Amino acid sequence: MLIAYYMILGFKLVGHHGSVWRMTLSTSVRTYSLDPFPSGSRKTPAQVGKPEWISPSSGGVQRNLSAVAVPLQGQFRPLCRYDPLDLGDVDENTQKALACKHLRRFIVNPSLARIVTDHLAGDIDDGKAVIFECNPGPGVLTRSLLNRGAQRVVALESDANFLPELKDLEQKLEGQLDVVHCDFFKLDPIGHGSMKPPAMYSEKLFSDLAISEVPWSADVPVKIVGIFSQRNEKNIMWKLIYNLFERRSIFRYGRVELIMFISQKEYTKLVTRPRDYKNYQAFTVLWQMACDIELLHEEPLSSFLTVTKNSGRPSSKNTQSQSDNLCLVRITPREDLFNSHLTPLNGSTLVLMVKQCLAKRKSRLIEQINSWSPGSGSELISKLSFLDDTMTGDVYPDEFKRLFELMEQSGSFTQSWLYEETLETTNTGHA
């Protein structure tokens, strides 16, 4: 049995003297494909490594972190299956995170990293999507994902202070990890011309990673994992929803899924239902219309390290109470979002229509429609089976979509009714 175990690890038995076996490590070179999609052609030579011994006392615990990973079909298996990567401890990871000079939150506790990874177990086992990790910092979650058997992780790190250690980890693995100096939350800035990292265009990012566009009806090609910035969380999500309805930026490449920590305040708005006139906003309607939203986990804010701009010191004053939670949410664009009436070409028109309707959530929907096309309100209200006194804050997301489709079919509406009134409200931070 011992001989068989050594052979599994890649050792070649060449003989023995007395009762002592002498072993050499087979070093045949293999290649690992970095592109999970058929259209990709990028390949990287394998970095042959030397497996380290796992002591009998600790081997059981360490192997549990990675033994459940699905073997890579026709590819070199990750070294961490035999030698799980060290996740460090809270104090060590905290010291590394303090190198950051910007306002950011970090996962520094290995236990929290494993909780997040457990919620991604099905995604990792499925192995069809590339995992983009936003701002990994000291890389605690990065290592946890790799230990679990993630076939390809792309670490998008905006702070150059964390790049050397992440790059060092990249070199030690068999093509499972790509490290890119990039700020995911600032992808595709307004303007043209060359960009200096961490600013980047999504087209360059996906091209460099050899990730091709796939049809909207295809499987999810990329899963984005991370923590939304507390400084401009709402604005980032508005930018994403505009890009989603227009199939621009990351959504040009397919139904990119978000698995992100979001503040409890914004999560409440994200999932609230009609007639909650305080929280039911255009933001709510658009995300619910476009995506399936699933709460995976809630974690106290105190479990994260919050670093300030001031010399990377931990923050004692946050915009949220330490008793608040961050919510790990899976947001998956719907395969049936687009149709013959709602397309990426008129998606932004729908966004503006919803923003106008929800600007005053206790206004009558029929009056809003008549303001766009006089006399059309009663007909459309009747087709939607609404009462004349239905308020905009009472309408469900799928009903807003149906209203838009009816307007597109009627021929009585021109896009001028939107653009003339929204020139001053195009700031994506507006509700």
Side-chain angles (χ1 to χ4, degrees):
M1 292 295 293
L2 184 60
I3 295 173
Y5 176 69
Y6 289 155
M7 294 178 70
I8 290 172
L9 289 179
F11 289 95
K12 185 186 297 180
L13 299 178
V14 298
H16 66 90
H17 301 280
S19 59
V20 179
W21 287 90
R22 181 163 56 89
M23 299 175 290
T24 61
L25 179 63
S26 174
T27 58
S28 59
V29 177
R30 313 186 199 188
T31 59
Y32 178 91
S33 171
L34 286 176
D35 190 352
F37 306 110
S39 58
S41 59
R42 175 185 172 194
K43 294 185 178 181
T44 297
Q47 308 274 340
V48 177
K50 181 178 180 181
E52 296 181 5
W53 294 103
I54 300 175
S55 67
S57 61
S58 63
V61 174
Q62 289 178 312
R63 282 195 298 272
N64 283 341
L65 293 176
S66 60
V68 288
V70 172
L72 304 181
Q73 298 179 355
Q75 299 172 335
F76 198 97
R77 291 187 292 177
L79 295 180
C80 53
R81 281 178 58 85
Y82 311 115
D83 181 18
L85 299 167
D86 182 11
L87 303 188
D89 58 39
V90 175
D91 291 340
E92 175 188 0
N93 296 329
T94 297
Q95 289 304 311
K96 292 179 180 178
L98 292 179
C100 180
K101 299 299 188 292
H102 307 283
L103 180 63
R104 266 176 59 177
R105 288 198 178 109
F106 296 93
I107 294 177
V108 294
N109 191 325
S111 296
L112 176 55
R114 293 188 186 107
I115 288 173
V116 175
T117 304
D118 286 345
H119 285 291
L120 273 71
D123 306 275
I124 294 171
D125 291 345
D126 180 64
K128 294 180 180 179
V130 181
I131 296 176
F132 281 14
E133 184 188 1
C134 305
N135 287 335
V140 184
L141 179 57
T142 313
R143 290 170 170 81
S144 183
L145 290 167
L146 293 166
N147 282 346
R148 183 58 179 77
Q151 296 187 23
R152 189 180 183 192
V153 176
V154 177
L156 304 178
E157 178 52 59
S158 61
D159 192 324
N161 289 306
F162 298 112
L163 293 177
E165 185 171 352
L166 290 169
K167 287 284 188 181
D168 183 60
L169 177 61
E170 178 184 29
Q171 294 299 316
K172 293 177 180 177
L173 297 172
E174 299 293 336
Q176 296 161 266
L177 177 64
D178 288 294
V179 178
V180 183
H181 189 196
C182 170
D183 188 342
F184 170 77
F185 302 115
K186 295 182 179 179
L187 273 179
D188 300 309
I190 297 175
H192 301 283
S194 60
M195 285 286 156
K196 289 183 62 177
M200 185 176 288
Y201 292 120
S202 56
E203 183 177 4
K204 174 175 173 51
L205 174 63
F206 279 72
S207 175
D208 288 350
L209 295 169
I211 298 176
S212 304
E213 299 176 33
V214 299
W216 193 255
S217 57
D219 289 332
V220 170
V222 172
K223 297 174 185 285
I224 312 291
V225 180
I227 307 171
F228 276 117
S229 167
Q230 70 264 42
R231 186 174 61 86
N232 55 355
E233 179 180 51
K234 189 69 169 284
N235 285 350
I236 292 169
M237 294 196 70
W238 266 112
K239 179 180 177 181
L240 286 168
I241 199 65
Y242 266 100
N243 287 338
L244 196 163
F245 273 95
E246 296 179 15
R247 279 210 64 183
R248 289 189 295 112
S249 188
I250 60 173
F251 299 107
R252 167 185 168 185
Y253 297 87
R255 293 186 301 118
V256 172
E257 183 176 85
L258 304 171
I259 306 175
M260 302 288 291
F261 276 105
I262 181 175
S263 68
Q264 200 167 36
K265 174 184 176 181
E266 296 304 332
Y267 172 72
T268 299
K269 296 175 183 176
L270 194 66
V271 298
T272 195
R273 310 306 290 169
R275 299 181 181 85
D276 178 348
Y277 301 114
K278 176 182 178 182
N279 294 309
Y280 193 65
Q281 303 174 4
F283 172 86
T284 309
V285 169
L286 293 166
W287 277 108
Q288 290 186 22
M289 184 190 300
C291 302
D292 294 319
I293 301 169
E294 178 187 5
L295 176 63
L296 301 178
H297 179 71
E298 291 188 43
E299 186 70 24
L301 185 57
S302 57
S303 298
F304 301 82
L305 175 69
T306 301
V307 175
T308 69
K309 297 179 182 179
N310 186 9
S311 301
R313 290 185 296 185
S315 174
S316 58
K317 294 182 180 180
N318 293 308
T319 54
Q320 296 166 260
S321 166
Q322 286 289 336
S323 62
D324 288 346
N325 292 339
L326 291 187
C327 301
L328 182 63
V329 182
R330 182 191 299 275
I331 303 175
T332 311
R334 290 201 174 95
E335 185 178 339
D336 63 352
L337 173 61
F338 297 108
N339 53 43
S340 59
H341 302 297
L342 174 59
T343 71
L345 295 177
N346 63 12
S348 61
T349 306
L350 169 62
V351 173
L352 295 174
M353 182 204 81
V354 172
K355 290 182 73 171
Q356 280 199 29
C357 283
L358 274 299
K360 296 180 179 179
R361 292 176 276 281
K362 291 187 178 181
S363 63
R364 292 203 305 162
L365 180 61
I366 190 172
E367 293 176 354
Q368 184 67 67
I369 297 173
N370 283 331
S371 71
W372 299 329
S373 179
S376 298
S378 295
E379 180 184 355
L380 292 187
I381 286 291
S382 176
K383 288 183 178 179
L384 291 167
S385 300
F386 287 164
L387 300 175
D388 286 351
D389 61 353
T390 298
M391 292 187 289
T392 57
D394 300 338
V395 181
Y396 282 83
D398 61 326
E399 294 170 334
F400 273 115
K401 184 180 180 183
R402 175 61 177 155
L403 171 61
F404 179 77
E405 292 169 349
L406 290 172
M407 290 166 57
E408 284 289 296
Q409 296 174 58
S410 72
S412 301
F413 297 84
T414 63
Q415 292 188 359
S416 61
W417 55 268
L418 283 172
Y419 294 128
E420 290 175 358
E421 297 185 21
T422 57
L423 288 175
E424 298 181 357
T425 61
T426 54
N427 186 326
T428 56
H430 288 194

